[in-house]
Amino acid sequence: MRFSHTAFALPFALAAMAVAARENRGWPGWQKFGLILAAMVCARTCAMAFNRIVDRKFDALNPRTAQRHLPTEQVTLAGAVALCVFSALGLVAASYFLNPLCFYLSPLALAVICFYSLTKRFTDYTHVFLGLSLALAPVGAWLAVKGSSVSGLEALQMLVLAAAVILWLVGFDIIYALQDFEFDRAQRLHSLVVAWGPKNALQAAFLAHMLMCGLLLAFGLLCRFRLAFSIGWLIIVGCLVMEHWIARRRSLNWINIAFFRLNAVVSAVFLLVVATEVIFRGGFRLR
């Protein structure tokens, strides 16, 4: 239903990869980069396929999703299951060639990213579980580069970034869920929008995004970033404020603009400024 949002996680994963490999100016080598990219694509595909499989009945009833591949039989259920299984195996295989830690953690990662799709049936905090799923992207990329040789400072940097991604996701997924408020309530599906109402849920989303901005600033300080990151951080704050302005002042038809375009800018800007700081470390590092 909403796991196509995972595409936004890729820039955060690549930014985490760059910081983890900052001793080599952000580049872990072609083989490791290719394996990280393959793992990301497989994880996203597996989670999206699983989501479409378990939600196919709801998708068929919802006018917004009724034209998806499974409800319209453009893809068979067996084909979707095969795609999900092969993508899961692809993630495990990529993790095997990265390092032992990633390999051992890959089944746990699969469980987390697939479990999200079931949460709207029993908890209002489904957005948090999706956030945890996306937060695995930067954590996984970091561990792909460093393996088990992560220092205490690096662990703190990694966890702060993961927490920021969780809050970012919680905020924008609440906004996205506004489109399905009436449908979810009628079908007794859970979300913070259904539980708290659109107005209160939007306030929670704004708070989540402001906390996310604070964590991103903390991440930049922990990484000793300076000028480029500061500029990027201000752009990100501006995008998030604009996103909430659109969500509050415009019709639901504007949700996709607020959601896709502005959040794509947020993730792209973050990757750009982190890569800039890592590559040109001598010019942007705090003295």
Side-chain angles (χ1 to χ4, degrees):
M1 186 174 171
R2 299 184 184 104
F3 222 98
S4 58
H5 307 0
T6 322
F8 295 139
L10 181 58
F12 280 91
L14 295 180
M17 177 199 76
V19 177
R22 66 189 306 173
E23 292 180 357
N24 194 36
R25 293 193 179 270
W27 183 243
W30 281 107
Q31 180 179 4
K32 191 160 288 188
F33 172 76
L35 289 170
I36 291 171
L37 195 60
M40 282 290 300
V41 171
C42 288
R44 176 188 181 275
T45 303
C46 174
M48 184 180 67
F50 184 80
N51 182 268
R52 296 295 191 264
I53 291 166
V54 299
D55 275 1
R56 62 189 185 278
K57 293 181 181 179
F58 293 121
D59 286 347
L61 295 172
N62 189 341
R64 188 179 66 81
T65 58
Q67 296 304 310
R68 286 178 174 172
H69 294 84
L70 281 177
T72 57
E73 298 184 346
Q74 299 175 59
V75 174
T76 64
L77 179 59
V81 171
L83 178 63
C84 183
V85 171
F86 282 116
S87 298
L89 293 175
L91 172 62
V92 174
S95 301
Y96 176 81
F97 288 106
L98 280 167
N99 58 59
L101 180 60
C102 288
F103 176 63
Y104 296 142
L105 292 176
S106 59
L108 177 60
L110 286 169
V112 171
I113 63 177
C114 290
F115 180 67
Y116 150 73
S117 296
L118 306 175
T119 57
K120 61 189 170 187
R121 292 161 174 81
F122 60 85
T123 177
D124 298 330
Y125 295 92
T126 179
H127 320 282
V128 177
F129 286 94
L130 182 54
L132 288 170
S133 300
L134 263 74
L136 292 182
V139 171
W142 205 303
L143 296 179
V145 175
K146 302 294 289 190
S148 57
S149 61
V150 177
S151 68
L153 176 59
E154 288 176 322
L156 180 59
Q157 293 167 343
M158 181 174 62
L159 293 176
V160 168
L161 179 57
V165 171
I166 292 172
L167 289 169
W168 178 51
L169 187 283
V170 168
F172 75 61
D173 196 55
I174 287 174
I175 293 174
Y176 193 77
L178 292 172
Q179 299 175 101
D180 294 325
F181 170 59
E182 297 294 344
F183 177 82
D184 288 350
R185 185 168 60 175
Q187 296 295 321
R188 297 184 178 180
L189 295 173
H190 295 266
S191 74
L192 290 179
V193 178
V194 173
W196 296 349
K199 183 178 179 179
N200 291 332
L202 277 174
Q203 291 177 345
F206 183 75
L207 176 60
H209 277 161
M210 293 303 99
L211 291 173
M212 175 246 188
C213 291
L215 287 175
L216 283 187
L217 184 60
F219 174 76
L221 293 173
L222 287 170
C223 293
R224 303 185 69 190
F225 294 155
R226 194 176 181 183
L227 180 59
F229 189 86
S230 299
I231 295 172
W233 183 81
L234 289 173
I235 294 173
I236 289 171
V237 172
C239 286
L240 293 176
V241 170
M242 185 179 298
E243 180 177 348
H244 285 272
W245 182 85
I246 291 174
R248 290 170 183 270
R249 303 281 180 160
R250 300 292 184 126
S251 67
L252 289 180
N253 295 331
W254 283 75
I255 291 293
N256 283 336
I257 295 177
F259 178 79
F260 287 105
R261 295 184 185 178
L262 290 174
N263 285 298
V265 172
V266 167
S267 57
V269 167
F270 182 77
L271 173 58
L272 177 62
V273 297
V274 169
T276 300
E277 292 281 6
V278 171
I279 294 170
F280 301 103
R281 55 191 177 188
F284 298 106
R285 215 168 35 174
L286 283 173
R287 296 179 180 178

